[in-house]
Amino acid sequence: MLEHYTVSRRVFLSFNYVFLACLGIICILPIIHVLAVSFSSSAAAQAGYVKLWPVQFTLSSYDYVMHKPAFFKSILVTLKRVAIGIPTNMLLTVLIAYPLSKEAKKFPMRTFYAWTFVVTILFSGGLIPLYMTVKTTHILDTVWAMVLPGAVPVFNVILLLNFFRGLPKELEEAAFIDGAGHWTTLWRIFLPLSLPALATITLFATVNHWNSWFDGLIFMNSPDHYPLQSYLQTVVINRDLTLMSSADMKSLTEVNDRTAKAAQIFLGALPILLVYPFLQRFFMKGIVLGSVKE
Amino acid sequence: MILPGLILVLIYSYGPMFGLLIAFEKYVPAKGMMGSKWVGLDNFRYVIEMPESAQIIWNTVLIAIMKIIAGLIAPIITALLLNEVRKEVFKRGVQTVVYLPHFLSWIILGGILIDILSPTNGIVNQLLGWFGIKPIFFLGSNTWFRYVLVITDVWKEFGFNTIVYLAALTSISPTLYEAAIVDGAGRWKQTLHVTLPGMASIIVLLVTLSLGNVLNAGFDQVFNLYSPQVYETGDVIDTFVYRIGLVDAQYGVATAVGVFRSVVSLFSISLSYYLAYRFANYRIF
C-alpha cells in the first residue's frame, strides 16, 4: 500500500473499522450471551450475573436436554425431513430449470410453463385451503406433509435457470453434435458447470427445511411428530407446559427454565452455525450470479 | 422432464386456490366444501364490520413500510462502508458475521430475543439499568413493540441484503474513479458522484420490488414475538388469519381475510414487477 492518506481519511478509516466491528459484534453478541447462559448454573443465570462468559460453568442443562425424549424425537423427525426434502427439492429444481432455460424457439410452451410456476409465488390459496388440500391428499401427520407442499422452490428454480442461461451456448451445441441427448447434456455439461449455483440452492433448501416450524405445527397432529423447530416453538416460545412430564418439572427446579431454554436454542442453531462458514464462499458467488443481470 | 414438478405445483399450489371458494361459504368441515351452505359475501361483510379490522390493516401496512424503509437504508450504508475497507481479512470476517442471523430461524432468534429483552433478567434491561433507566418490557409494551419488530428484522436481514449492493459496487468501472480523481474529487465526492449513481439502478430496482410487500409484515417474526398484550399494535393480517382460522375454527371468515390479502398482494406485486420492468429493465427470468 503506497497510498498516502490525509488526516481526515485516516480518521474516517479508523472510525469505519470501529463501526463495522461494532456492527459485527452486535450481530453475534446475543448468540454468545445465550450460549453463556446455557453453560451457567441456574442460580447465576437467574440472578442475572451472566454476561458473555459462563458463570459457575456446568453442563447440567445440556445433560437435562439430552435426556429429554421429546427433544431427541424431534431431532430425528427433522433429520428425516431433511433427508427426504432436500433431494426432492434439488431434483425438481434441476428438472424444471433445465427446460425453462431453453429459448422459446426450442421449447415452444416455455413461457406458459414458466408463468405457471411464477404465479405460485404471486398468488396462493392461503392457510386454510392449503391445510384442506394436505388433508385430502392423506399426508397429514406424515413427513410428506412437510416435503410435498414446498417441493418446488420456485425462487431457487429462477436462480438456477438464470445460471444455466449464463453458460456458453457453444458447449451445448458441441455436445449435441457429439450425439448427446438432453439428459446427457444436463448431467455431463450443465450440472458440473453449475456447482456454485447448486451449492447455493442446496444451502437455501437445507436452511429452509431445518428452520421450518409452522408446517410442522399445523400438519402434525401429534407432538411426537414435530420437527425440531416446531418443538422448540412450543417449548421455548409458547412455554407450553402440557408437553412436559412431571419428571421434567422436577428436574426443571434443578436446571431452571432459562438455562434449559438457552441450551435448546443453541442446539437448534448449532448445525447451521457449523455448516454455514464453509458454504459462505459459494453462496456469495451463487446469489450474485443469479440476481444481478446485465 | 418438467412433469413431476408441474404435477406437484398443480396439486399443492393450484389446488388450494380452489379452496378459496370456502370464503363464500359457511364452511362446516363435516359437510365438506360441496356440502356447506353458500353465503355469498357474508363472510366479507362480517370481516369489514369487525371492530379490529381497520386496526389490523393499519398495523400490517405500518410495520411493513417501516421495515421496507429501514431495511433498504441499513444495507446500503453497510455496503458503502464495507467497500472502503482494504483489509480483506477484516472485510470477510465482518461479512461472515453479519450474514449469520439471516440463516437462523425466527424460533431461534425469538427465543434469544425473549431472553435478552426480558424485563426481569434480560441483559438489555441490565445495560439500561447502568444508565439509570427503569426496566422496559419491550415485547409487552404497545409503545415499543413495533420498533422492536423493525429493529430486530433489520438486525436479521441487513447483512444478507448487503450482498446485492456489494455486487453492484464491484461492477462500477474503476476508470470512473480515476476520472473523478483527475478532476480533483476527494473520497467523499467520489462516493457522491460515482458510487451512488452507480448503485442507483439496483436501489431503484429493490425499492420497486419491495413495494409488493406492503401487506407482508412477516408472520414468522410477529407470531413468535407477540402476545395478547400487544395485539393492539402488533397483530397483522397473517397472525389474525391464523387465530380466527385455526384457533377459533372460523374457516370461512379466515379464508375471506386470506382472499382479501392475496388479491391485494397479487395486485401490488404485479404492479411492482411491472414498474421494475419499466424503470429498471428487470425481468424475473
Side-chain angles (χ1 to χ4, degrees), chain B residues 112-123:
Chain B
I112 293 176
L113 289 169
I114 290 170
D115 185 89
I116 65 173
L117 294 177
S118 143
T120 48
N121 51 15
I123 194 164

Side-chain angles (χ1 to χ4, degrees), chain A residues 7 33 41 53 79 92 95-96 102 123 126 133 143 155 158 192 198 205-206 244 288:
Chain A
V7 176
H33 173 67
S41 77
W53 199 252
L79 290 178
L92 291 170
L95 289 184
I96 297 168
K102 299 286 166 245
F123 190 76
T133 310
V143 67
F155 183 74
I158 295 173
L198 291 173
T206 315
M244 286 189 184
V288 168

Side-chain angles (χ1 to χ4, degrees), chain A residues 274-293:
Chain A
L274 289 178
V275 174
Y276 158 83
F278 298 103
L279 286 166
Q280 214 223 130
R281 64 200 177 93
F282 284 114
F283 77 71
M284 274 292 283
K285 233 173 168 181
I287 300 169
V288 168
L289 285 165
S291 59
V292 182
K293 286 170 288 176

Side-chain angles (χ1 to χ4, degrees), chain B residues 42-120:
Chain B
D42 275 8
N43 288 327
F44 290 90
R45 203 168 298 135
Y46 176 80
V47 172
I48 292 168
E49 282 163 7
M50 245 184 312
E52 305 102 310
S53 298
Q55 183 69 45
I56 284 159
I57 293 174
W58 171 240
N59 288 344
T60 312
V61 174
L62 187 69
I63 293 170
I65 289 179
M66 281 160 70
K67 280 185 182 174
I68 289 172
I69 296 172
L72 269 168
I73 298 171
I76 294 175
I77 295 174
T78 318
L80 285 175
L81 291 179
L82 271 174
N83 197 43
E84 295 293 322
V85 173
R86 290 284 164 270
K87 291 200 175 71
E88 265 312 303
V89 184
F90 181 81
K91 196 172 171 182
R92 288 233 123 193
V94 172
Q95 280 177 310
T96 309
V97 171
V98 294
Y99 297 161
L100 182 63
H102 169 83
F103 290 96
L104 299 175
S105 71
W106 273 116
I107 305 293
I108 302 288
L109 296 179
I112 293 176
L113 289 169
I114 290 170
D115 185 89
I116 65 173
L117 294 177
S118 143
T120 48

Side-chain angles (χ1 to χ4, degrees), chain A residues 64-84:
Chain A
Y64 161 73
V65 170
M66 286 305 186
H67 285 95
K68 234 172 139 176
F71 184 79
F72 228 77
K73 262 184 218 158
S74 71
I75 290 188
L76 290 180
V77 174
T78 296
L79 290 178
K80 195 170 155 194
R81 169 186 191 157
V82 168
I84 300 175

Side-chain angles (χ1 to χ4, degrees), chain B residues 5 62 71 82 108 143-144 157 170 203 263 268 275:
Chain B
L62 187 69
L82 271 174
I108 302 288
T143 358
W144 286 99
E157 303 295 347
T170 52
I203 295 175
V263 169
S268 58
L275 290 175

